[in-house]
Amino acid sequence: MAIQQGKTAWRKSSYSLYNGDCVEVASPLPQAIAVRDSKVPNRAMLGFTPVAWSAFVVTVTDGAYDL
């Protein structure tokens, strides 16, 4: 997945902390969701299909990863 850093609109959750401990998400292509660490935005990103990303969001929303 080729993503141009300067042309990608990244966003983070409104629930993110202001200390920088969060991830950012972008949808640069219809078939790809990109995720990166907001503290080191120039490092490698993870890429997910929309189906995989949606499944992850559902499990997070359902509390599957709550500690």
Side-chain angles (χ1 to χ4, degrees):
M1 164 175 43
I3 299 171
Q4 295 179 348
Q5 289 274 9
K7 295 184 179 183
T8 301
W10 293 91
R11 62 189 187 279
K12 56 183 155 183
S13 170
S14 60
Y15 293 99
S16 294
L17 301 175
Y18 292 102
N19 64 3
D21 291 339
C22 50
V23 297
E24 295 176 315
V25 179
S27 300
L29 304 169
Q31 68 276 17
I33 308 296
V35 180
R36 70 179 182 183
D37 185 339
S38 65
K39 291 180 296 197
V40 284
N42 292 326
R43 285 201 183 163
M45 298 166 274
L46 299 175
F48 298 92
T49 65
V51 171
W53 182 251
S54 293
F56 172 71
V57 170
V58 167
T59 58
V60 168
T61 303
D62 288 345
Y65 303 110
D66 291 353
L67 298 175

Short mmCIF file of all heavy atoms in Angstrom, two decimals:
data_model
loop_
_atom_site.label_atom_id
_atom_site.label_comp_id
_atom_site.label_asym_id
_atom_site.label_seq_id
_atom_site.Cartn_x
_atom_site.Cartn_y
_atom_site.Cartn_z
N MET A 1 0.85 -1.17 0.00
CA MET A 1 0.00 0.00 0.00
C MET A 1 0.89 1.23 0.00
O MET A 1 1.66 1.44 0.92
CB MET A 1 -0.90 -0.06 1.24
CG MET A 1 -1.54 1.23 1.59
SD MET A 1 -2.73 1.16 2.95
CE MET A 1 -1.95 0.15 4.17
N ALA A 2 0.82 2.03 -1.01
CA ALA A 2 1.62 3.24 -1.09
C ALA A 2 0.79 4.42 -0.59
O ALA A 2 -0.22 4.77 -1.17
CB ALA A 2 2.06 3.48 -2.52
N ILE A 3 1.24 5.01 0.50
CA ILE A 3 0.55 6.15 1.09
C ILE A 3 1.50 7.32 1.12
O ILE A 3 2.62 7.21 1.62
CB ILE A 3 0.07 5.82 2.52
CG1 ILE A 3 -0.90 4.66 2.48
CG2 ILE A 3 -0.58 7.04 3.17
CD1 ILE A 3 -1.28 4.12 3.83
N GLN A 4 1.07 8.43 0.60
CA GLN A 4 1.89 9.63 0.62
C GLN A 4 1.61 10.38 1.92
O GLN A 4 0.51 10.90 2.11
CB GLN A 4 1.59 10.50 -0.59
CG GLN A 4 1.96 9.83 -1.89
CD GLN A 4 1.62 10.70 -3.09
OE1 GLN A 4 0.92 11.69 -2.99
NE2 GLN A 4 2.16 10.32 -4.23
N GLN A 5 2.61 10.41 2.79
CA GLN A 5 2.44 11.00 4.11
C GLN A 5 1.89 12.43 4.04
O GLN A 5 0.99 12.79 4.77
CB GLN A 5 3.78 11.01 4.86
CG GLN A 5 4.23 9.65 5.30
CD GLN A 5 3.64 9.26 6.65
OE1 GLN A 5 2.78 9.89 7.20
NE2 GLN A 5 4.16 8.16 7.18
N GLY A 6 2.44 13.27 3.20
CA GLY A 6 2.05 14.66 3.16
C GLY A 6 0.66 14.91 2.60
O GLY A 6 0.09 15.96 2.81
N LYS A 7 0.11 13.93 1.89
CA LYS A 7 -1.19 14.11 1.25
C LYS A 7 -2.29 13.31 1.94
O LYS A 7 -3.41 13.28 1.45
CB LYS A 7 -1.10 13.71 -0.22
CG LYS A 7 -0.18 14.59 -1.02
CD LYS A 7 -0.19 14.22 -2.46
CE LYS A 7 0.73 15.15 -3.23
NZ LYS A 7 0.70 14.88 -4.66
N THR A 8 -1.98 12.71 3.05
CA THR A 8 -2.95 11.90 3.76
C THR A 8 -3.50 12.67 4.95
O THR A 8 -2.75 13.23 5.73
CB THR A 8 -2.29 10.59 4.25
OG1 THR A 8 -1.78 9.90 3.12
CG2 THR A 8 -3.28 9.71 4.95
N ALA A 9 -4.82 12.69 5.09
CA ALA A 9 -5.46 13.37 6.21
C ALA A 9 -5.61 12.39 7.37
O ALA A 9 -6.44 11.49 7.33
CB ALA A 9 -6.83 13.90 5.79
N TRP A 10 -4.76 12.54 8.37
CA TRP A 10 -4.78 11.67 9.54
C TRP A 10 -5.73 12.25 10.59
O TRP A 10 -5.86 13.45 10.72
CB TRP A 10 -3.38 11.54 10.12
CG TRP A 10 -2.45 10.83 9.20
CD1 TRP A 10 -1.64 11.38 8.26
CD2 TRP A 10 -2.26 9.42 9.12
NE1 TRP A 10 -0.96 10.40 7.59
CE2 TRP A 10 -1.31 9.18 8.10
CE3 TRP A 10 -2.79 8.33 9.80
CZ2 TRP A 10 -0.89 7.91 7.75
CZ3 TRP A 10 -2.36 7.07 9.45
CH2 TRP A 10 -1.43 6.85 8.44
N ARG A 11 -6.35 11.36 11.36
CA ARG A 11 -7.21 11.81 12.44
C ARG A 11 -7.03 10.90 13.64
O ARG A 11 -6.63 9.75 13.50
CB ARG A 11 -8.67 11.85 12.00
CG ARG A 11 -9.23 10.51 11.60
CD ARG A 11 -10.60 10.63 10.94
NE ARG A 11 -11.20 9.34 10.71
CZ ARG A 11 -10.94 8.54 9.69
NH1 ARG A 11 -10.06 8.89 8.80
NH2 ARG A 11 -11.53 7.38 9.56
N LYS A 12 -7.34 11.43 14.82
CA LYS A 12 -7.28 10.60 16.02
C LYS A 12 -8.55 10.80 16.82
O LYS A 12 -9.27 11.79 16.66
CB LYS A 12 -6.04 10.87 16.85
CG LYS A 12 -5.81 12.28 17.29
CD LYS A 12 -4.49 12.36 18.02
CE LYS A 12 -3.93 13.75 17.97
NZ LYS A 12 -2.64 13.85 18.60
N SER A 13 -8.81 9.88 17.69
CA SER A 13 -10.03 9.89 18.47
C SER A 13 -10.12 11.12 19.36
O SER A 13 -9.11 11.60 19.89
CB SER A 13 -10.08 8.63 19.34
OG SER A 13 -11.14 8.72 20.27
N SER A 14 -11.32 11.60 19.55
CA SER A 14 -11.53 12.71 20.49
C SER A 14 -11.28 12.25 21.92
O SER A 14 -11.15 13.08 22.83
CB SER A 14 -12.95 13.26 20.35
OG SER A 14 -13.90 12.24 20.63
N TYR A 15 -11.20 10.96 22.14
CA TYR A 15 -10.89 10.41 23.46
C TYR A 15 -9.40 10.30 23.72
O TYR A 15 -8.97 9.90 24.79
CB TYR A 15 -11.52 9.01 23.63
CG TYR A 15 -13.02 9.03 23.65
CD1 TYR A 15 -13.75 8.72 22.51
CD2 TYR A 15 -13.71 9.37 24.80
CE1 TYR A 15 -15.14 8.74 22.52
CE2 TYR A 15 -15.09 9.39 24.82
CZ TYR A 15 -15.79 9.07 23.68
OH TYR A 15 -17.16 9.10 23.71
N SER A 16 -8.58 10.63 22.74
CA SER A 16 -7.12 10.53 22.88
C SER A 16 -6.61 11.47 23.98
O SER A 16 -7.14 12.55 24.18
CB SER A 16 -6.42 10.90 21.57
OG SER A 16 -6.71 9.95 20.59
N LEU A 17 -5.56 11.01 24.63
CA LEU A 17 -4.94 11.82 25.66
C LEU A 17 -4.05 12.88 25.01
O LEU A 17 -3.57 12.71 23.90
CB LEU A 17 -4.10 10.94 26.58
CG LEU A 17 -4.85 9.83 27.30
CD1 LEU A 17 -3.87 8.95 28.07
CD2 LEU A 17 -5.90 10.40 28.24
N TYR A 18 -3.81 13.96 25.71
CA TYR A 18 -2.97 15.03 25.18
C TYR A 18 -1.47 14.76 25.37
O TYR A 18 -0.65 15.53 24.96
CB TYR A 18 -3.35 16.36 25.81
CG TYR A 18 -4.71 16.82 25.37
CD1 TYR A 18 -5.82 16.66 26.19
CD2 TYR A 18 -4.90 17.35 24.10
CE1 TYR A 18 -7.07 17.06 25.77
CE2 TYR A 18 -6.16 17.75 23.67
CZ TYR A 18 -7.24 17.60 24.51
OH TYR A 18 -8.47 17.98 24.10
N ASN A 19 -1.13 13.64 26.00
CA ASN A 19 0.28 13.32 26.22
C ASN A 19 0.92 12.65 25.01
O ASN A 19 2.08 12.30 25.04
CB ASN A 19 0.45 12.46 27.46
CG ASN A 19 -0.22 11.10 27.32
OD1 ASN A 19 -0.75 10.76 26.29
ND2 ASN A 19 -0.18 10.32 28.39
N GLY A 20 0.17 12.46 23.96
CA GLY A 20 0.73 11.88 22.74
C GLY A 20 0.61 10.38 22.63
O GLY A 20 1.01 9.80 21.64
N ASP A 21 0.04 9.72 23.63
CA ASP A 21 -0.11 8.27 23.60
C ASP A 21 -1.39 7.88 22.86
O ASP A 21 -2.42 7.60 23.46
CB ASP A 21 -0.14 7.70 25.01
CG ASP A 21 1.20 7.80 25.70
OD1 ASP A 21 2.22 7.93 25.00
OD2 ASP A 21 1.23 7.75 26.94
N CYS A 22 -1.32 7.91 21.55
CA CYS A 22 -2.49 7.56 20.77
C CYS A 22 -2.08 7.12 19.37
O CYS A 22 -0.93 7.24 18.99
CB CYS A 22 -3.47 8.73 20.70
SG CYS A 22 -2.73 10.27 20.19
N VAL A 23 -3.05 6.62 18.66
CA VAL A 23 -2.82 6.25 17.27
C VAL A 23 -3.62 7.18 16.37
O VAL A 23 -4.58 7.80 16.81
CB VAL A 23 -3.21 4.77 16.98
CG1 VAL A 23 -2.35 3.83 17.78
CG2 VAL A 23 -4.68 4.54 17.26
N GLU A 24 -3.20 7.27 15.13
CA GLU A 24 -3.92 8.06 14.14
C GLU A 24 -4.36 7.13 13.02
O GLU A 24 -3.67 6.15 12.71
CB GLU A 24 -3.02 9.16 13.59
CG GLU A 24 -2.66 10.19 14.64
CD GLU A 24 -1.70 11.24 14.12
OE1 GLU A 24 -0.72 10.88 13.45
OE2 GLU A 24 -1.95 12.43 14.40
N VAL A 25 -5.48 7.45 12.41
CA VAL A 25 -6.06 6.61 11.37
C VAL A 25 -6.33 7.45 10.14
O VAL A 25 -6.70 8.62 10.25
CB VAL A 25 -7.39 5.99 11.88
CG1 VAL A 25 -8.04 5.14 10.81
CG2 VAL A 25 -7.16 5.18 13.14
N ALA A 26 -6.14 6.86 8.98
CA ALA A 26 -6.44 7.53 7.72
C ALA A 26 -7.05 6.52 6.75
O ALA A 26 -6.77 5.32 6.82
CB ALA A 26 -5.18 8.13 7.11
N SER A 27 -7.87 7.01 5.87
CA SER A 27 -8.46 6.18 4.82
C SER A 27 -8.00 6.73 3.48
O SER A 27 -8.76 7.36 2.74
CB SER A 27 -9.98 6.21 4.90
OG SER A 27 -10.42 5.73 6.13
N PRO A 28 -6.73 6.48 3.14
CA PRO A 28 -6.18 7.07 1.92
C PRO A 28 -6.70 6.44 0.64
O PRO A 28 -6.69 7.08 -0.40
CB PRO A 28 -4.69 6.84 2.07
CG PRO A 28 -4.59 5.62 2.93
CD PRO A 28 -5.76 5.69 3.87
N LEU A 29 -7.16 5.22 0.71
CA LEU A 29 -7.65 4.51 -0.47
C LEU A 29 -8.94 3.79 -0.10
O LEU A 29 -9.13 3.42 1.06
CB LEU A 29 -6.62 3.48 -0.94
CG LEU A 29 -5.22 4.00 -1.25
CD1 LEU A 29 -4.26 2.84 -1.43
CD2 LEU A 29 -5.25 4.85 -2.51
N PRO A 30 -9.83 3.56 -1.04
CA PRO A 30 -11.07 2.85 -0.71
C PRO A 30 -10.83 1.45 -0.14
O PRO A 30 -11.61 0.96 0.65
CB PRO A 30 -11.81 2.77 -2.04
CG PRO A 30 -11.21 3.82 -2.90
CD PRO A 30 -9.79 4.00 -2.42
N GLN A 31 -9.73 0.83 -0.52
CA GLN A 31 -9.47 -0.54 -0.08
C GLN A 31 -8.45 -0.63 1.05
O GLN A 31 -7.99 -1.71 1.35
CB GLN A 31 -9.02 -1.40 -1.26
CG GLN A 31 -7.67 -1.05 -1.84
CD GLN A 31 -7.69 0.08 -2.86
OE1 GLN A 31 -8.63 0.83 -2.96
NE2 GLN A 31 -6.61 0.21 -3.61
N ALA A 32 -8.12 0.50 1.69
CA ALA A 32 -7.09 0.47 2.73
C ALA A 32 -7.37 1.47 3.84
O ALA A 32 -7.75 2.61 3.58
CB ALA A 32 -5.72 0.75 2.13
N ILE A 33 -7.15 1.02 5.07
CA ILE A 33 -7.18 1.88 6.25
C ILE A 33 -5.75 1.85 6.80
O ILE A 33 -5.18 0.78 7.01
CB ILE A 33 -8.14 1.34 7.33
CG1 ILE A 33 -9.54 1.07 6.75
CG2 ILE A 33 -8.18 2.28 8.54
CD1 ILE A 33 -10.26 2.28 6.25
N ALA A 34 -5.18 3.01 7.03
CA ALA A 34 -3.81 3.09 7.55
C ALA A 34 -3.85 3.54 9.01
O ALA A 34 -4.67 4.37 9.39
CB ALA A 34 -2.99 4.08 6.73
N VAL A 35 -2.95 2.97 9.81
CA VAL A 35 -2.85 3.29 11.24
C VAL A 35 -1.38 3.56 11.56
O VAL A 35 -0.50 2.84 11.09
CB VAL A 35 -3.37 2.12 12.09
CG1 VAL A 35 -3.28 2.44 13.58
CG2 VAL A 35 -4.81 1.78 11.71
N ARG A 36 -1.13 4.61 12.35
CA ARG A 36 0.25 4.92 12.75
C ARG A 36 0.28 5.43 14.18
O ARG A 36 -0.74 5.84 14.74
CB ARG A 36 0.87 5.96 11.81
CG ARG A 36 0.28 7.35 11.97
CD ARG A 36 0.94 8.33 11.04
NE ARG A 36 0.39 9.67 11.24
CZ ARG A 36 0.73 10.73 10.55
NH1 ARG A 36 1.62 10.62 9.57
NH2 ARG A 36 0.19 11.91 10.80
N ASP A 37 1.45 5.43 14.76
CA ASP A 37 1.70 5.96 16.10
C ASP A 37 1.86 7.47 16.00
O ASP A 37 2.72 7.95 15.27
CB ASP A 37 2.96 5.31 16.67
CG ASP A 37 3.25 5.69 18.11
OD1 ASP A 37 2.73 6.72 18.59
OD2 ASP A 37 4.01 4.96 18.75
N SER A 38 1.08 8.22 16.74
CA SER A 38 1.14 9.68 16.63
C SER A 38 2.44 10.26 17.16
O SER A 38 2.81 11.37 16.78
CB SER A 38 -0.04 10.32 17.38
OG SER A 38 0.05 10.06 18.77
N LYS A 39 3.15 9.52 18.01
CA LYS A 39 4.42 10.03 18.54
C LYS A 39 5.54 9.95 17.53
O LYS A 39 6.51 10.71 17.60
CB LYS A 39 4.82 9.25 19.80
CG LYS A 39 3.91 9.51 20.99
CD LYS A 39 4.37 8.70 22.18
CE LYS A 39 4.21 7.24 21.83
NZ LYS A 39 4.22 6.32 22.94
N VAL A 40 5.45 9.02 16.60
CA VAL A 40 6.49 8.84 15.57
C VAL A 40 5.81 8.66 14.21
O VAL A 40 5.83 7.58 13.63
CB VAL A 40 7.41 7.64 15.91
CG1 VAL A 40 8.41 7.99 16.99
CG2 VAL A 40 6.61 6.42 16.29
N PRO A 41 5.24 9.74 13.68
CA PRO A 41 4.45 9.63 12.46
C PRO A 41 5.23 9.24 11.21
O PRO A 41 4.63 8.80 10.23
CB PRO A 41 3.83 11.02 12.31
CG PRO A 41 4.73 11.92 13.08
CD PRO A 41 5.28 11.09 14.21
N ASN A 42 6.53 9.37 11.22
CA ASN A 42 7.31 9.03 10.03
C ASN A 42 7.74 7.57 9.99
O ASN A 42 8.37 7.14 9.03
CB ASN A 42 8.52 9.94 9.91
CG ASN A 42 8.11 11.37 9.62
OD1 ASN A 42 7.13 11.60 8.93
ND2 ASN A 42 8.82 12.32 10.17
N ARG A 43 7.44 6.82 11.02
CA ARG A 43 7.76 5.39 11.02
C ARG A 43 6.73 4.62 10.21
O ARG A 43 5.76 5.17 9.70
CB ARG A 43 7.80 4.87 12.44
CG ARG A 43 9.04 5.28 13.17
CD ARG A 43 9.29 4.35 14.32
NE ARG A 43 10.44 4.80 15.07
CZ ARG A 43 10.71 4.41 16.27
NH1 ARG A 43 9.91 3.57 16.90
NH2 ARG A 43 11.78 4.85 16.89
N ALA A 44 6.91 3.34 10.15
CA ALA A 44 6.03 2.47 9.37
C ALA A 44 4.58 2.53 9.87
O ALA A 44 4.32 2.76 11.04
CB ALA A 44 6.53 1.04 9.43
N MET A 45 3.67 2.33 8.94
CA MET A 45 2.25 2.30 9.24
C MET A 45 1.74 0.87 9.08
O MET A 45 2.37 0.06 8.42
CB MET A 45 1.49 3.18 8.26
CG MET A 45 1.87 4.63 8.32
SD MET A 45 1.26 5.50 6.88
CE MET A 45 2.60 5.19 5.73
N LEU A 46 0.63 0.61 9.71
CA LEU A 46 -0.06 -0.66 9.50
C LEU A 46 -1.19 -0.43 8.52
O LEU A 46 -1.84 0.62 8.55
CB LEU A 46 -0.63 -1.19 10.82
CG LEU A 46 0.38 -1.48 11.92
CD1 LEU A 46 -0.36 -1.88 13.20
CD2 LEU A 46 1.32 -2.58 11.48
N GLY A 47 -1.45 -1.39 7.68
CA GLY A 47 -2.54 -1.28 6.72
C GLY A 47 -3.57 -2.37 6.95
O GLY A 47 -3.21 -3.52 7.23
N PHE A 48 -4.83 -2.02 6.88
CA PHE A 48 -5.93 -2.96 7.09
C PHE A 48 -6.94 -2.82 5.96
O PHE A 48 -7.14 -1.73 5.43
CB PHE A 48 -6.65 -2.66 8.42
CG PHE A 48 -5.78 -2.81 9.62
CD1 PHE A 48 -5.08 -1.73 10.12
CD2 PHE A 48 -5.65 -4.03 10.25
CE1 PHE A 48 -4.26 -1.86 11.23
CE2 PHE A 48 -4.84 -4.17 11.36
CZ PHE A 48 -4.15 -3.09 11.85
N THR A 49 -7.60 -3.92 5.66
CA THR A 49 -8.73 -3.83 4.74
C THR A 49 -9.89 -3.20 5.50
O THR A 49 -9.93 -3.27 6.75
CB THR A 49 -9.16 -5.22 4.24
OG1 THR A 49 -9.66 -5.97 5.35
CG2 THR A 49 -8.02 -5.96 3.55
N PRO A 50 -10.83 -2.59 4.80
CA PRO A 50 -11.99 -2.04 5.50
C PRO A 50 -12.75 -3.08 6.33
O PRO A 50 -13.24 -2.78 7.42
CB PRO A 50 -12.85 -1.48 4.37
CG PRO A 50 -11.86 -1.12 3.31
CD PRO A 50 -10.82 -2.22 3.40
N VAL A 51 -12.84 -4.31 5.85
CA VAL A 51 -13.54 -5.37 6.59
C VAL A 51 -12.81 -5.68 7.90
O VAL A 51 -13.42 -5.78 8.97
CB VAL A 51 -13.69 -6.64 5.73
CG1 VAL A 51 -14.22 -7.81 6.55
CG2 VAL A 51 -14.59 -6.37 4.54
N ALA A 52 -11.49 -5.83 7.84
CA ALA A 52 -10.71 -6.12 9.05
C ALA A 52 -10.78 -4.95 10.04
O ALA A 52 -10.92 -5.16 11.25
CB ALA A 52 -9.26 -6.41 8.67
N TRP A 53 -10.70 -3.72 9.54
CA TRP A 53 -10.77 -2.55 10.42
C TRP A 53 -12.14 -2.47 11.10
O TRP A 53 -12.25 -2.21 12.29
CB TRP A 53 -10.46 -1.28 9.64
CG TRP A 53 -10.47 -0.08 10.53
CD1 TRP A 53 -11.40 0.91 10.55
CD2 TRP A 53 -9.51 0.24 11.54
NE1 TRP A 53 -11.07 1.83 11.52
CE2 TRP A 53 -9.93 1.45 12.14
CE3 TRP A 53 -8.36 -0.37 12.01
CZ2 TRP A 53 -9.22 2.05 13.17
CZ3 TRP A 53 -7.65 0.24 13.04
CH2 TRP A 53 -8.08 1.42 13.61
N SER A 54 -13.20 -2.70 10.34
CA SER A 54 -14.55 -2.66 10.90
C SER A 54 -14.72 -3.71 11.98
O SER A 54 -15.32 -3.45 13.03
CB SER A 54 -15.60 -2.86 9.81
OG SER A 54 -15.59 -1.77 8.93
N ALA A 55 -14.19 -4.90 11.76
CA ALA A 55 -14.28 -5.96 12.77
C ALA A 55 -13.54 -5.56 14.04
O ALA A 55 -14.02 -5.79 15.16
CB ALA A 55 -13.72 -7.27 12.21
N PHE A 56 -12.38 -4.94 13.89
CA PHE A 56 -11.62 -4.47 15.04
C PHE A 56 -12.39 -3.41 15.81
O PHE A 56 -12.51 -3.46 17.04
CB PHE A 56 -10.26 -3.93 14.59
CG PHE A 56 -9.49 -3.26 15.69
CD1 PHE A 56 -8.93 -4.00 16.72
CD2 PHE A 56 -9.34 -1.87 15.70
CE1 PHE A 56 -8.23 -3.38 17.74
CE2 PHE A 56 -8.64 -1.25 16.71
CZ PHE A 56 -8.09 -2.00 17.73
N VAL A 57 -12.95 -2.45 15.11
CA VAL A 57 -13.71 -1.37 15.76
C VAL A 57 -14.91 -1.93 16.52
O VAL A 57 -15.20 -1.51 17.64
CB VAL A 57 -14.15 -0.31 14.72
CG1 VAL A 57 -15.14 0.68 15.32
CG2 VAL A 57 -12.92 0.43 14.19
N VAL A 58 -15.59 -2.91 15.95
CA VAL A 58 -16.74 -3.53 16.63
C VAL A 58 -16.29 -4.20 17.93
O VAL A 58 -16.93 -4.03 18.97
CB VAL A 58 -17.45 -4.54 15.70
CG1 VAL A 58 -18.42 -5.42 16.48
CG2 VAL A 58 -18.17 -3.80 14.60
N THR A 59 -15.18 -4.93 17.90
CA THR A 59 -14.73 -5.61 19.12
C THR A 59 -14.28 -4.61 20.18
O THR A 59 -14.51 -4.82 21.36
CB THR A 59 -13.61 -6.63 18.84
OG1 THR A 59 -12.52 -5.97 18.22
CG2 THR A 59 -14.09 -7.76 17.93
N VAL A 60 -13.66 -3.52 19.77
CA VAL A 60 -13.27 -2.48 20.73
C VAL A 60 -14.51 -1.85 21.33
O VAL A 60 -14.61 -1.67 22.56
CB VAL A 60 -12.39 -1.41 20.06
CG1 VAL A 60 -12.21 -0.19 20.95
CG2 VAL A 60 -11.02 -1.99 19.70
N THR A 61 -15.47 -1.51 20.50
CA THR A 61 -16.71 -0.89 20.98
C THR A 61 -17.47 -1.80 21.93
O THR A 61 -18.06 -1.34 22.90
CB THR A 61 -17.62 -0.53 19.77
OG1 THR A 61 -16.88 0.33 18.90
CG2 THR A 61 -18.87 0.19 20.21
N ASP A 62 -17.42 -3.09 21.67
CA ASP A 62 -18.09 -4.07 22.54
C ASP A 62 -17.33 -4.33 23.84
O ASP A 62 -17.81 -5.09 24.68
CB ASP A 62 -18.30 -5.40 21.80
CG ASP A 62 -19.38 -5.30 20.74
OD1 ASP A 62 -20.16 -4.32 20.76
OD2 ASP A 62 -19.43 -6.20 19.88
N GLY A 63 -16.14 -3.75 24.00
CA GLY A 63 -15.38 -3.89 25.24
C GLY A 63 -14.48 -5.10 25.30
O GLY A 63 -14.00 -5.48 26.37
N ALA A 64 -14.22 -5.73 24.18
CA ALA A 64 -13.40 -6.95 24.16
C ALA A 64 -11.98 -6.73 24.68
O ALA A 64 -11.35 -7.66 25.15
CB ALA A 64 -13.35 -7.53 22.75
N TYR A 65 -11.48 -5.51 24.59
CA TYR A 65 -10.11 -5.24 25.00
C TYR A 65 -10.00 -4.42 26.27
O TYR A 65 -8.93 -3.95 26.64
CB TYR A 65 -9.35 -4.53 23.86
CG TYR A 65 -9.35 -5.34 22.57
CD1 TYR A 65 -10.09 -4.92 21.47
CD2 TYR A 65 -8.64 -6.53 22.48
CE1 TYR A 65 -10.10 -5.66 20.31
CE2 TYR A 65 -8.65 -7.27 21.32
CZ TYR A 65 -9.38 -6.83 20.25
OH TYR A 65 -9.39 -7.58 19.09
N ASP A 66 -11.13 -4.22 26.96
CA ASP A 66 -11.11 -3.47 28.22
C ASP A 66 -10.29 -4.23 29.26
O ASP A 66 -10.37 -5.46 29.35
CB ASP A 66 -12.52 -3.26 28.75
CG ASP A 66 -13.32 -2.30 27.91
OD1 ASP A 66 -12.74 -1.68 26.98
OD2 ASP A 66 -14.54 -2.16 28.16
N LEU A 67 -9.53 -3.50 30.01
CA LEU A 67 -8.72 -4.13 31.05
C LEU A 67 -9.49 -4.22 32.35
O LEU A 67 -10.24 -3.43 32.74
CB LEU A 67 -7.42 -3.34 31.27
CG LEU A 67 -6.52 -3.28 30.05
CD1 LEU A 67 -5.32 -2.38 30.34
CD2 LEU A 67 -6.05 -4.67 29.67
#
